């Protein structure tokens, strides 16, 4: 499966949902806002959304402090 | 002829001079503003002129304050900012400074949310004072904002913002600001707000700790309606805590991004 993640094409051998993708990339879900094909996802949807070949993702990472 | 004196429509004789008006209406006025611009010479007034007479020793009235702000920001800019409403989630180091800047610039309504109380350790960067320790931050902030502009409308929400209540409080704002400290609160607010209130731009912050060079703080557009201010990486840790200058720079990046959005400009 091909995905475009933060502007870069990446190949994944197995099907993934959003939660599994974040785990695979070693990103903590609480620190990331996921945009899938220009739609922002809430964290409660991560496990339900199966990624499709050609999906475009922006993984926007945050750090705390304010 | 008909002119406006300190925002009041008034009938006067034709050809009335500015100094004659001052002497009869407010002899101690030492600041004369005609049609939005300060004037320091006598001149005949004409029908429709708007004259503001101010004595610098007196607290100004609401109308006088607004006339002054219109002069500072120029009338066209002031009009656009004046009727806007901005939501701020979190009023710590970022949010308190953002609220002050937006009040000074003439935003008329703020919706501010924070469940926290003012603690002594907050004073290193947050816009609170020693005599406010122990007060709910939203109430302490309300008091400060009223000292800047007595007419500011502030809706204070002293509770934790959740996916369940954020639409209730923030669905009617023109621009939303994420100003939380905790990273999970940031991502929760951003993802839910951009889903629930799709038409409203959101200005967030990430990477504001320490004392790295000021110019590493930037404003970026990262998604439709989402802007992030900060360096994106610097988290608070030993040796680089959250400090007033850099948190303040990020806060004012956010405030300026809000201002640009209110004025119809892209923040980046």
């Amino acid at each position: 499966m091909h995905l475009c993640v933060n502007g870069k094409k990446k190949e994944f051998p197995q099907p993934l949902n959003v939660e599994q993708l974040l785990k695979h990339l070693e990103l903590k879900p609480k620190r990331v806002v996921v945009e899938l094909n220009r739609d922002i996802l809430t964290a409660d949807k991560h496990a339900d959304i199966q990624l499709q070949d050609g999906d475009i993702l922006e993984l926007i990472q945050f750090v705390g402090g304010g | 002829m008909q002119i406006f004196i300190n925002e009041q429509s008034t009938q006067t004789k034709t050809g009335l001079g500015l100094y004659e008006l001052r002497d009869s209406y407010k002899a101690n006025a030492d600041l004369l503003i005609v049609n939005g611009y300060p004037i320091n010479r006598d001149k005949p007034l004409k029908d429709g002129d708007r004259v503001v007479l101010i004595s610098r020793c007196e607290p100004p009235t609401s109308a006088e304050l607004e006339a002054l702000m219109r002069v500072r920001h120029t009338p066209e800019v002031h009009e656009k900012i004046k009727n806007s409403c901005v939501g701020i989630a979190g009023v710590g180091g970022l949010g308190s400074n953002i609220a002050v800047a937006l009040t000074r610039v003439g935003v008329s309504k703020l919706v501010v949310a924070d469940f926290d109380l003012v603690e002594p350790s907050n004073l290193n960067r947050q816009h609170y004072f020693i005599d406010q320790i122990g007060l709910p931050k939203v109430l302490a902030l309300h008091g400060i904002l009223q000292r800047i502009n007595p007419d500011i409308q502030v809706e204070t929400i002293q509770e934790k913002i959740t996916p369940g209540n954020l639409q209730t409080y923030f669905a009617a704002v023109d621009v939303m600001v994420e100003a939380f400290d905790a990273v999970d609160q940031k991502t929760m607010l951003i993802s839910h707000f951009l889903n629930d209130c799709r038409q409203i731009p959101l200005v967030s912050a990430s990477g504001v700790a320490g004392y790295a060079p000021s110019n590493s703080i930037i404003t970026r557009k990262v998604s439709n309606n989402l802007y992030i201010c900060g360096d994106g990486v610097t988290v608070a840790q030993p040796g680089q805590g959250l400090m007033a200058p850099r948190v303040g720079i990020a806060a004012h990046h956010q405030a300026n991004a809000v201002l640009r959005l209110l004025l119809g400009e892209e923040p980046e």
Side-chain angles (χ1 to χ4, degrees):
Chain A
M1 178 175 62
H2 284 96
L3 298 175
C4 183
V5 180
N6 291 357
K8 287 181 186 155
K9 283 199 171 173
K10 293 194 175 194
E11 170 88 39
F12 296 89
Q14 74 281 32
L16 293 170
N17 63 35
V18 174
E19 187 179 84
Q20 290 162 335
L21 174 72
L22 294 180
K23 200 167 184 181
H24 185 88
L25 297 173
E26 297 180 348
L27 296 174
K28 291 204 167 78
K30 285 184 172 183
R31 298 183 179 201
V32 182
V33 171
V34 179
E35 186 194 66
L36 171 60
N37 302 326
R38 304 193 66 85
D39 264 336
I40 299 281
L41 306 181
T42 53
D44 54 306
K45 305 267 169 55
H46 287 180
D48 301 336
I49 295 180
Q50 201 63 36
L51 293 166
Q52 309 292 323
D53 194 52
D55 276 347
I56 300 169
L57 291 121
E58 288 293 328
L59 307 179
I60 309 162
Q61 296 185 63
F62 285 81
V63 297
Chain B
M1 63 182 183
Q2 192 86 14
I3 62 172
F4 293 85
I5 307 172
N6 290 0
E7 303 297 316
Q8 303 295 313
S9 177
T10 311
Q11 196 72 33
T12 70
K13 70 177 184 186
T14 304
L16 177 70
L18 178 60
Y19 284 6
E20 190 184 349
L21 171 68
R22 175 197 60 193
D23 294 343
S24 63
Y25 188 87
K26 190 177 177 78
N28 65 341
D30 49 11
L31 188 53
L32 315 177
I33 300 168
V34 180
N35 299 327
Y37 296 94
I39 303 287
N40 53 14
R41 58 184 165 76
D42 200 10
K43 61 176 257 180
L45 296 168
K46 55 185 192 307
D47 193 52
D49 276 350
R50 306 183 84 95
V51 183
V52 178
L53 306 170
I54 290 167
S55 167
R56 283 181 236 243
C57 304
E58 289 171 3
T61 65
S62 300
E64 285 168 345
L65 256 183
E66 194 182 324
L68 280 171
M69 218 177 270
R70 193 179 286 129
V71 173
R72 282 286 162 195
H73 299 149
T74 71
E76 313 82 70
V77 174
H78 176 72
E79 283 303 315
K80 286 188 191 170
I81 304 167
K82 189 172 86 170
N83 294 315
S84 58
C85 174
V86 177
I88 304 176
V91 291
L94 296 168
S96 61
N97 287 303
I98 294 165
V100 166
L102 294 178
T103 301
R104 289 199 189 282
V105 89
V107 170
S108 58
K109 185 170 182 192
L110 297 175
V111 182
V112 296
D114 201 310
F115 62 85
D116 222 350
L117 308 178
V118 178
E119 294 179 40
S121 66
N122 300 149
L123 300 184
N124 83 322
R125 69 188 189 283
Q126 307 188 16
H127 202 288
Y128 299 107
F129 299 92
I130 288 284
D131 59 3
Q132 294 180 314
I133 286 167
L135 285 177
K137 284 183 183 175
V138 290
L139 298 185
L141 184 61
H142 191 184
I144 290 164
L145 302 180
Q146 280 185 315
R147 289 177 65 198
I148 298 167
N149 179 358
D151 295 318
I152 182 100
Q153 300 169 58
V154 184
E155 188 180 333
T156 57
I157 296 146
Q158 197 198 339
E159 59 184 281
K160 198 172 170 101
I161 294 303
T162 65
N165 66 17
L166 71 88
Q167 214 175 348
T168 311
Y169 297 130
F170 297 119
V173 303
D174 297 305
V175 179
M176 183 64 200
V177 177
E178 178 283 306
F180 286 133
D181 184 23
V183 70
D184 57 332
Q185 282 286 99
K186 286 176 180 288
T187 55
M188 178 279 294
L189 181 102
I190 293 163
S191 60
H192 283 272
F193 187 85
L194 291 176
N195 267 278
D196 294 348
C197 307
R198 285 172 182 258
Q199 303 307 315
I200 306 173
L202 171 58
V203 179
S204 174
S206 176
V208 303
Y211 50 91
S214 306
N215 289 349
S216 57
I217 302 245
I218 58 167
T219 299
R220 293 175 296 143
K221 179 170 187 167
V222 295
S223 175
N224 185 36
N225 272 346
L226 176 60
Y227 305 87
I228 303 180
C229 304
D231 67 18
V233 291
T234 309
V235 64
Q237 56 183 274
Q240 48 182 33
L242 292 160
M243 301 168 91
R246 215 152 177 273
V247 172
I249 291 165
H252 286 88
H253 262 259
Q254 287 186 279
N256 195 45
V258 170
L259 182 57
R260 286 184 64 79
L261 288 162
L262 294 175
L263 293 171
E265 306 277 351
E266 273 293 328
E268 186 175 342

